[in-house]
Amino acid sequence: MMITLEQVKKLHADGLYSNVMTLVPFMLSLPELAAPLRDDYNIIAKKYQLLLYYGDALYDGGNYKRAEVQYGEALKLKKTLAKMKPKYTSNKISLTTEVDVKFKLFQCYNKLNDSRQAMAVLESIPPKQRTSKLNMVLGKIYQKYGMERSAITCYKEVLRSSPLALDAATSLIQLGVTLQEVTLLMNGSTPQTTPEWLTQYLKGYSFTALNKHPKALQIFKSLETQTLKDNVKLLSSQAESHYRIGENQKAISCYEKVRLQDKLCLEGMDIFAQVLAEESCKDQLERLAQDLMELSENNIEAWIAMSHYCSCTNQTTRAVYFAQKAHMMDVSNVPALMLKASLLSLLNKPQEAVIHFREAIRLSPNELKLYEEVFNVVGLVQCHLSSEKYKEAINIARNAHKTIGANARTLTLCAKAYACESQMQEKAKVMLKKALVHDSCYLPAVYLFSDILMKQEDYEAASQLLTKQLEAEPTSELYRLKGDCLKELGKTDEAMDMYSKSLRLDQDNVKAMDGVQSAEKDSTTDLDMSGIGLHEPRNRSSMEDLDGIGADIQWMD
């Protein structure tokens, strides 16, 4: 009895891949298939299909390299078959197309993290034979490697054949294609076929791509409250917009709503972990990391959350390991790149950190946090400042300001770079004044401005700046800085009061503790000096006492 191709096909169709994996190698060893006659179309066609079934079974079992070999051998046979005329019999074999085989090969290369080979095999498919699926995948690869024009071409082809391909639409917007052009592609020859809510969502996304996050936020909120209530995607978009403009507490609130609606949702959880780390919400971050890890160890968000948690709890070595694991899962993931770069910088490996920061900026040039230092995250500018490469830091800060636009954060970033050079400090002060015009409550600008003024010993100006800010938003650091100013102005009691208020808000504020100790020493010294005139009159008849008085007077001079 001969085993027919149809019998193997049924095993394959039923998903019995382990059985296919066991059976097919025996069949391929049979004399007729091991060395098929060059002119026997049916035999070669049978071997071609068996190789594909075997390849699919290997792929399903995670044997991607072996699967790649089978698909490669099948393609060679396909070229042979293309030169032959099929024998029309009642048992005509239905062959898998060459395009489908190449897509299977692409999947293998993708699993093997060989993006170059993956791109090459897809590019070998003539453009006219590419399906929407192929164009979408190829567009993603082109975008990953910075081949923006080619990516745009692919995404446009996807939208022409599949007008509701939202991922293609948002990718085009991200690459700089105007909302109007994207909408025209989606509508095709029929005007206004796109629903209003979808048009509004794309409009919000376009504002995000242009760094106009407040406008994007307004649209997302309107859609979520009026049209698409409790929509996880819109809640996640709102959370990210809050995060981009520095409203971390509001971002946390939105992400918590996402988790309430869908605890299995992964979208945005890498950014959620970043926000929780910035706000030092260690318990919440630990729960998030555990939940994501229980969901699946194969998602990048879980490893990013674990890395942030370890970083917050001073487990730096483990944090680096988890960040590296996340990076290897997706080398183009910006949060993973940023996290790894930041940790490398903290480990005093600035050169390696700079490489990762630059790659992240290439992928996401509008991501401001890649440039600046925020809480436990060290940015590219800080990397260069730490290495005393001030010119490079200034150039990078200027580029960020030019790319992202003028706002409190980009102006403060430039000011921080300028402030490191004494001859540029006046320019830094000008930038900080502009930053506070954009946002009068932007704390990093206030902290940096007061620090510069204090270095210049202009304590009165620094004190006035801090007093004004304390009226708007009292923080531990503001009270600490105000205490430093008052101490330098000789107002020790008032300085002590400021340090006490600082420690009430943050009992771990080390600089405030140091300030208290310094102020107490000053106070004790003042008390000792003031007590000199309160001593009882000495017996002037004693030469020893006279000598002592002379010493006191000389010491006071």
Side-chain angles (χ1 to χ4, degrees), residues 149-192:
R149 294 178 69 177
S150 298
I152 288 171
T153 300
C154 287
Y155 291 138
K156 283 183 175 180
E157 287 300 318
V158 173
L159 275 188
R160 286 190 183 101
S161 58
S162 305
L164 291 177
L166 277 184
D167 197 11
T170 52
S171 295
L172 283 170
I173 291 170
Q174 191 179 355
L175 289 167
V177 179
T178 64
L179 176 63
Q180 184 180 7
E181 187 176 353
V182 171
T183 305
L184 285 172
L185 281 168
M186 294 178 77
N187 288 333
S189 57
T190 309
Q192 295 182 342

Side-chain angles (χ1 to χ4, degrees), residues 143-430:
Q143 189 174 358
K144 177 179 177 179
Y145 283 100
M147 302 166 68
E148 295 186 355
R149 294 178 69 177
S150 298
I152 288 171
T153 300
C154 287
Y155 291 138
K156 283 183 175 180
E157 287 300 318
V158 173
L159 275 188
R160 286 190 183 101
S161 58
S162 305
L164 291 177
L166 277 184
D167 197 11
T170 52
S171 295
L172 283 170
I173 291 170
Q174 191 179 355
L175 289 167
V177 179
T178 64
L179 176 63
Q180 184 180 7
E181 187 176 353
V182 171
T183 305
L184 285 172
L185 281 168
M186 294 178 77
N187 288 333
S189 57
T190 309
Q192 295 182 342
T193 56
T194 308
E196 178 61 23
W197 61 265
L198 188 50
T199 303
Q200 283 298 304
Y201 171 74
L202 290 174
K203 185 178 180 181
Y205 192 89
S206 68
F207 280 133
T208 298
L210 295 169
N211 284 314
K212 297 179 179 179
H213 299 292
K215 289 185 176 180
L217 192 55
Q218 189 177 1
I219 290 174
F220 294 146
K221 279 185 177 178
S222 176
L223 278 172
E224 192 263 328
T225 55
Q226 296 177 18
T227 310
L228 304 165
K229 293 186 178 181
D230 298 327
N231 181 273
V232 169
K233 178 72 176 177
L234 288 174
L235 285 168
S236 183
S237 297
Q238 287 178 55
E240 186 170 348
S241 293
H242 281 304
Y243 168 72
R244 300 298 177 200
I245 57 181
E247 297 177 347
N248 282 3
Q249 289 301 326
K250 291 181 179 179
I252 289 172
S253 178
C254 283
Y255 278 126
E256 285 174 341
K257 289 179 182 177
V258 170
R259 302 261 307 151
L260 282 173
Q261 292 295 323
D262 183 2
K263 199 169 184 178
L264 303 179
C265 177
L266 291 173
E267 185 177 359
M269 292 302 107
D270 46 1
I271 298 176
F272 188 23
Q274 169 71 36
V275 182
L276 292 174
E278 289 181 10
E279 294 299 307
S280 297
C281 300
K282 297 177 186 177
D283 292 341
Q284 198 171 350
L285 182 55
E286 183 181 19
R287 287 195 299 272
L288 176 66
Q290 287 175 347
D291 288 347
L292 294 175
M293 196 60 72
E294 287 175 6
L295 184 61
S296 172
E297 293 185 8
N298 294 322
N299 69 76
I300 193 170
E301 292 82 1
W303 296 106
I304 289 176
M306 286 293 293
S307 180
H308 276 301
Y309 174 70
C310 290
S311 179
C312 285
T313 52
N314 298 319
Q315 302 176 65
T316 310
T317 305
R318 294 190 72 194
V320 172
Y321 170 75
F322 292 139
Q324 172 66 8
K325 194 168 182 69
H327 175 59
M328 291 305 295
M329 290 177 75
D330 182 1
V331 293
S332 61
N333 182 278
V334 173
L337 277 166
M338 179 168 67
L339 178 57
K340 187 181 175 186
S342 176
L343 290 167
L344 286 169
S345 180
L346 291 172
L347 290 172
N348 199 27
K349 296 183 178 181
Q351 294 305 316
E352 294 94 327
V354 165
I355 292 169
H356 287 77
F357 273 127
R358 289 190 181 280
E359 175 62 11
I361 288 170
R362 183 188 70 78
L363 292 165
S364 184
N366 293 331
E367 176 59 83
L368 184 54
K369 288 182 186 275
L370 291 168
Y371 303 92
E372 63 186 359
E373 181 182 17
V374 184
F375 300 97
N376 66 321
V377 178
V378 178
L380 182 56
V381 170
Q382 184 59 37
C383 265
H384 286 298
L385 292 179
S386 300
S387 304
E388 297 184 356
K389 296 180 179 179
Y390 301 128
K391 289 183 178 179
E392 289 91 336
I394 289 170
N395 287 334
I396 291 164
R398 282 175 174 169
N399 286 336
H401 179 267
K402 182 178 178 181
T403 303
I404 299 168
N407 58 49
R409 290 168 67 186
T410 55
L411 289 163
T412 303
L413 184 69
C414 290
K416 185 173 185 178
Y418 287 134
C420 289
E421 304 231 65
S422 56
Q423 67 272 23
M424 302 284 276
Q425 286 193 349
E426 289 304 316
K427 192 165 186 177
K429 286 162 68 175
V430 171

Side-chain angles (χ1 to χ4, degrees), residues 448-519:
L448 181 57
F449 203 171
S450 61
D451 185 58
I452 293 172
L453 290 170
M454 290 169 72
K455 283 179 180 176
Q456 295 178 340
E457 298 185 0
D458 192 352
Y459 301 113
E460 286 289 353
S463 183
Q464 290 173 13
L465 172 67
L466 293 165
T467 299
K468 182 179 177 182
Q469 188 62 40
L470 279 165
E471 291 172 356
E473 184 182 359
T475 70
S476 175
E477 190 64 7
L478 287 172
Y479 278 123
R480 195 272 302 175
L481 288 167
K482 181 71 183 292
D484 289 349
C485 285
L486 292 169
K487 183 165 69 71
E488 294 296 335
L489 290 167
K491 301 176 180 179
T492 307
D493 290 342
E494 293 179 45
M496 287 286 283
D497 183 47
M498 290 296 111
Y499 291 136
S500 296
K501 289 180 178 179
S502 173
L503 290 169
R504 277 200 291 271
L505 291 174
D506 180 9
Q507 61 182 2
D508 296 325
N509 191 323
V510 177
K511 290 184 179 179
M513 293 178 193
D514 293 341
V516 169
Q517 293 176 1
S518 178

